[in-house]
C-alpha cells in the first residue's frame, strides 16, 4: 500500500494518474501516458480466504487465475469467474465482467461486500452499501476514472470437483432463446438444477445452449488444452451431446483458445497446435500477439497486398433484453459478417441498480459477444456505430472495454452522467484521473 501511495505522490500534479501495468484486457486504443503510472506490484495476491464465511479478501490487481487457484482447494469459487485468466478483480468490478453463472449470480461487482479504493484525491476509502455508498454504487463501469480498487472482499460459493455439460442443438434462434428464458426463470432443465448457462451461435440455423451441472461423481473428463478445441466440441447434428470437465477446466474452457479467436494466429491448425506449447495456449499470449499486429499494422498490410480494403475491429459485448434478443441476432447475422457469436444470460441480483450501467432489476438480459474484423466502411467505425444504434433501439447497453462512438449527450444518458459527475466531484475533485467519456470514447 505504501508503495502505491508513494507512486501516487511522485506523479506531478498536472499529470494524469494511470496504472503501471504490462497487460490489459481492454481493446481500445489510447493516448500514451504523460507520466509514470501507479506502482501496483504489491497488489497482486490473495490476502485471505475465509472458508467458514465463504468470503475472500483480495488485492485489486490479483488475477482470477490466482484467486481460483486459492479457492478451489477449499471447494469454493467466486460467484462469477470471468472467462479470461488474466482479468483482475479490480478490473472486473470497475469494468464489468460476466460468465455462465450470471443468470443466477449477476455481475462480479454484485458479490463485492466492501472494497478499499484509492481515489483521485489520493485517499484510500472503504466503500460498501453502508459506507461511501455513492462510490460503492458508481465504481462499477467507471474504468478507473473514480479510483482504483486496492482491496476487495467478495462472496464465494461452493463448487463440486466436476461439471457435467449438456450441449443442446437448435435449428431456430427463437427456440434457443425460449429454452434459455425457461432455464433462467426456473433454474432447471428437465427438472434438474442448472448451475452454468451460456451458448454459441454459429449461424441462423445452428446454435447451442451449453448447460452445466455441478457434480461430485467421478469419471472420465475431457481436456481441451491439447489438440481438441472446446467450441468445436459442442457441435453436433441434433438433440443433446454430453461432456464432463473438471471444475478448473470448466472455468477456463474459453481461455485456452480465447473463445475461438486463436484461429487468427494459426493456433487451431492441427500441425501448428501440436508444436504450440500448452503453457502459451492462453488468452494473454494471443493478446500480446494482437498487440504486435496492431503496432505494425500487419493485418492491414496483408489486406493491401491482396488488393482488399483495411479492416475495422468489431470487438464488442452488448446486453440486450431477452425478449429482443432474437430481433438483434437476426439483424446482426444479416448485417455483420462475424461468427461464431457468444450468448450469456444475466440477471442482476441487486434491486437498487448500478447507475453507470443501468440494467433493470428483475429483467433478464442476454450478453451477446462478437470479436473479429470487417471491411472498413465510408466513415470511421461504421459497423460499430451501426451496432450501437441498433442496441440502443432495442433498449440494450454496450460494454465500454472496446471502441465506442457515442456523442457526449448520448453517453451521459446511457452511462449515468449525473451520478458519475457527482461522484467525480467528490472523489476526484482536481480531475487527477481521466474522465469516463474521454477514456471510453475519446481514447485518452
Amino acid at each position: 500500500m505504501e508503495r502505491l501511495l508513494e507512486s501516487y505522490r511522485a506523479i506531478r500534479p498536472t499529470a494524469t494518474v494511470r496504472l503501471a501495468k504490462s497487460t490489459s484486457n481492454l481493446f481500445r486504443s489510447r493516448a500514451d501516458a504523460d507520466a509514470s503510472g501507479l506502482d501496483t506490484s504489491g497488489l497482486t495476491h490473495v490476502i485471505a480466504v475465509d472458508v467458514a464465511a465463504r468470503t475472500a479478501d483480495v488485492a485489486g490487481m490479483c488475477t482470477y487465475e490466482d484467486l481460483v487457484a486459492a479457492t478451489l482447494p477449499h471447494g469454493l469459487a467466486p460467484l462469477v469467474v470471468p472467462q479470461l485468466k488474466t482479468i483482475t478483480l479490480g478490473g472486473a468490478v470497475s469494468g464489468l465482467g460476466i460468465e455462465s453463472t450470471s443468470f443466477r449470480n449477476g455481475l462480479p461487482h454484485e458479490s463485492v461486500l466492501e472494497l478499499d479504493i484509492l481515489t483521485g484525491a489520493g485517499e484510500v476509502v472503504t466503500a460498501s452499501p453502508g459506507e461511501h455508498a455513492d462510490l460503492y454504487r458508481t465504481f462499477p463501469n467507471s474504468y478507473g476514472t473514480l479510483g482504483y480498487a486496492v482491496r476487495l472482499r467478495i462472496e464465494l460459493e461452493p463448487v463440486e470437483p466436476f461439471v457435467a455439460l449438456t450441449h443442446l442443438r437448435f435449428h431456430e434462434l427463437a427456440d434457443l432463446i425460449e429454452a434459455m428464458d425457461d432455464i433462467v426463470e426456473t433454474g432447471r432443465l428437465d427438472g434438474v438444477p442448472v448451475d452454468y448457462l451460456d451458448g454459441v451461435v454459429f449461424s441462423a440455423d445452428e446454435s447451442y445452449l451449453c448447460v452445466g451441472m455441478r457434480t461430485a461423481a467421478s469419471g472420465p473428463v475431457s481436456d481441451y488444452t491439447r489438440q481438441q478445441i472446446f467450441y468445436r466440441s459442442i457441435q453436433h447434428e441434433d438433440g443433446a451431446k454430453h461432456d464432463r470437465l473438471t471444475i478448473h477446466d470448466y472455468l477456463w474452457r474459453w481461455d485456452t483458445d480465447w473463445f475461438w479467436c486463436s484461429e487468427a494466429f494459426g493456433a487451431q491448425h492441427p500441425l501448428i497446435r501440436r508444436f504450440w506449447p500448452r503453457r502459451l495456449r492462453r488468452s494473454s499470449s494471443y493478446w500480446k500477439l494482437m498487440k504486435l499486429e496492431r503496432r505494425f499494422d500487419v493485418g492491414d498490410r496483408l489486406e493491401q497486398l491482396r488488393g482488399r480494403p483495411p479492416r475495422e475491429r468489431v470487438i464488442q459485448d452488448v446486453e440486450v433484453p431477452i425478449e429482443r434478443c432474437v430481433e438483434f441476432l437476426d439483424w446482426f447475422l444479416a448485417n455483420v459478417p462475424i461468427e461464431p457469436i457468444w450468448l450469456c444470460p444475466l440477471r442482476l441480483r441487486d434491486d437498487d441498480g448500478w447507475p453507470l450501467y443501468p440494467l433493470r432489476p428483475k429483467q433478464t438480459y442476454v450478453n451477446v459477444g462478437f470479436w473479429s474484423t470487417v471491411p472498413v466502411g465510408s466513415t470511421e467505425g461504421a459497423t460499430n456505430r451501426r451496432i450501437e444504434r441498433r442496441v440502443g433501439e432495442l433498449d440494450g447497453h454496450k460494454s465500454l472495454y472496446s471502441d465506442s462512438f457515442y456523442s457526449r449527450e448520448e453517453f451521459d444518458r446511457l452511462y449515468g452522467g449525473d451520478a458519475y459527475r457527482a461522484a467525480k466531484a467528490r472523489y476526484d475533485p482536481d480531475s487527477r484521473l481521466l474522465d469516463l467519456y474521454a477514456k471510453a470514447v475519446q481514447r485518452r
Side-chain angles (χ1 to χ4, degrees):
M1 178 74 76
E2 187 56 37
R3 200 181 320 162
L4 175 72
L5 292 173
E6 284 180 6
S7 66
Y8 176 91
R9 291 190 287 265
I11 299 173
R12 64 182 187 276
T14 57
T16 300
V17 176
R18 296 178 186 264
L19 293 180
K21 53 187 296 190
S22 58
T23 62
S24 174
N25 284 285
L26 297 179
F27 291 88
R28 46 177 151 78
S29 304
R30 64 177 184 174
D32 293 333
D34 58 355
S36 299
L38 295 175
D39 184 353
T40 60
S41 57
L43 301 175
T44 60
H45 59 291
V46 177
I47 300 168
V49 176
D50 188 328
V51 177
R54 294 180 183 171
T55 63
D57 282 74
V58 187
M61 294 295 291
C62 178
T63 66
Y64 274 92
E65 180 178 24
D66 290 339
L67 174 57
V68 164
T71 63
L72 284 187
H74 302 290
L76 298 170
L79 270 63
V80 180
V81 180
Q83 313 90 337
L84 306 180
K85 292 178 176 179
T86 56
I87 292 175
T88 63
L89 272 290
V93 171
S94 68
L96 304 188
I98 193 169
E99 235 297 330
S100 60
T101 56
S102 289
F103 78 101
R104 57 184 177 83
N105 287 340
L107 299 174
H109 56 267
E110 296 190 273
S111 58
V112 175
L113 301 173
E114 66 175 30
L115 68 166
D116 296 336
I117 299 171
L118 173 64
T119 69
E123 302 172 339
V124 177
V125 303
T126 299
S128 70
E131 184 179 7
H132 293 287
D134 56 341
L135 183 58
Y136 177 80
R137 287 283 163 192
T138 53
F139 191 74
N141 209 46
S142 64
Y143 281 89
T145 65
L146 295 177
Y148 296 106
V150 177
R151 176 195 62 91
L152 305 96
R153 177 170 294 165
I154 65 168
E155 299 175 77
L156 304 173
E157 69 175 8
V159 293
E160 296 290 355
F162 306 101
V163 176
L165 286 167
T166 299
H167 302 308
L168 300 174
R169 165 74 189 259
F170 294 89
H171 301 273
E172 298 286 343
L173 290 170
D175 294 338
L176 178 144
I177 296 300
E178 181 181 0
M180 176 188 285
D181 195 25
D182 184 66
I183 293 172
V184 173
E185 291 294 332
T186 65
R188 295 174 177 271
L189 174 67
D190 297 332
V192 179
V194 172
D195 300 301
Y196 308 99
L197 180 64
D198 62 351
V200 179
V201 175
F202 287 90
S203 66
D205 57 8
E206 184 188 3
S207 57
Y208 301 86
L209 280 184
C210 302
V211 184
M213 290 83 164
R214 301 170 182 152
T215 178
S218 61
V221 293
S222 299
D223 181 351
Y224 296 106
T225 66
R226 298 179 184 273
Q227 287 298 100
Q228 300 303 311
I229 298 166
F230 178 71
Y231 82 101
R232 290 299 181 193
S233 76
I234 72 177
Q235 291 185 278
H236 58 278
E237 289 299 319
D238 203 8
K241 181 180 180 181
H242 300 281
D243 198 359
R244 281 167 48 87
L245 293 171
T246 66
I247 179 62
H248 175 276
D249 286 356
Y250 177 80
L251 293 176
W252 304 127
R253 69 201 182 285
W254 293 123
D255 188 84
T256 301
D257 284 286
W258 214 9
F259 283 84
W260 31 80
C261 298
S262 67
E263 186 175 25
F265 306 101
Q268 295 183 28
H269 188 284
L271 183 60
I272 295 175
R273 194 174 187 85
R274 188 174 300 279
F275 292 99
W276 193 304
R278 287 177 65 193
R279 63 184 175 82
L280 297 180
R281 288 186 214 151
R282 50 185 289 142
S283 59
S284 55
S285 298
Y286 308 130
W287 190 91
K288 291 173 184 176
L289 291 173
M290 189 191 74
K291 188 176 180 181
L292 286 172
E293 186 277 328
R294 287 167 55 188
R295 179 180 178 185
F296 297 105
D297 292 325
V298 175
D300 285 349
R301 292 175 188 272
L302 290 174
E303 293 298 297
Q304 186 178 29
L305 289 174
R306 295 165 180 158
R308 297 195 295 234
R311 309 282 293 183
E312 174 188 349
R313 288 185 306 153
V314 182
I315 300 175
Q316 304 287 356
D317 279 73
V318 303
E319 269 81 44
V320 179
I322 195 166
E323 63 270 16
R324 310 298 298 275
C325 190
V326 174
E327 196 176 346
F328 176 75
L329 290 172
D330 285 343
W331 175 86
F332 187 91
L333 290 169
N335 289 276
V336 183
I338 292 177
E339 85 287 325
I341 302 166
W342 187 57
L343 304 179
C344 186
L346 71 128
R347 204 167 194 174
L348 295 182
R349 298 169 68 203
D350 193 288
D351 289 339
D352 293 332
W354 305 88
L356 270 59
Y357 205 72
L359 302 177
R360 294 193 300 273
K362 299 183 174 64
Q363 163 74 59
T364 301
Y365 292 82
V366 180
N367 176 280
V368 185
F370 37 91
W371 317 291
S372 190
T373 62
V374 299
V376 296
S378 57
T379 60
E380 181 190 12
T383 298
N384 283 285
R385 292 173 191 266
R386 291 183 68 196
I387 292 169
E388 287 179 354
R389 288 194 297 271
R390 191 62 181 139
V391 170
E393 291 166 357
L394 298 176
D395 197 26
H397 277 77
K398 188 180 88 165
S399 297
L400 297 176
Y401 71 87
S402 189
D403 298 320
S404 297
F405 298 89
Y406 297 109
S407 68
R408 168 70 80 168
E409 294 73 23
E410 189 173 14
F411 188 86
D412 282 353
R413 178 175 60 81
L414 291 171
Y415 299 101
D418 290 342
Y420 175 74
R421 278 188 290 273
K424 187 76 167 171
R426 181 178 181 186
Y427 297 102
D428 186 23
D430 298 322
S431 297
R432 296 296 310 278
L433 306 172
L434 283 171
D435 170 76
L436 183 58
Y437 183 78
K439 191 170 189 176
V441 179
Q442 297 175 333
R443 305 174 196 171
R444 289 179 54 192

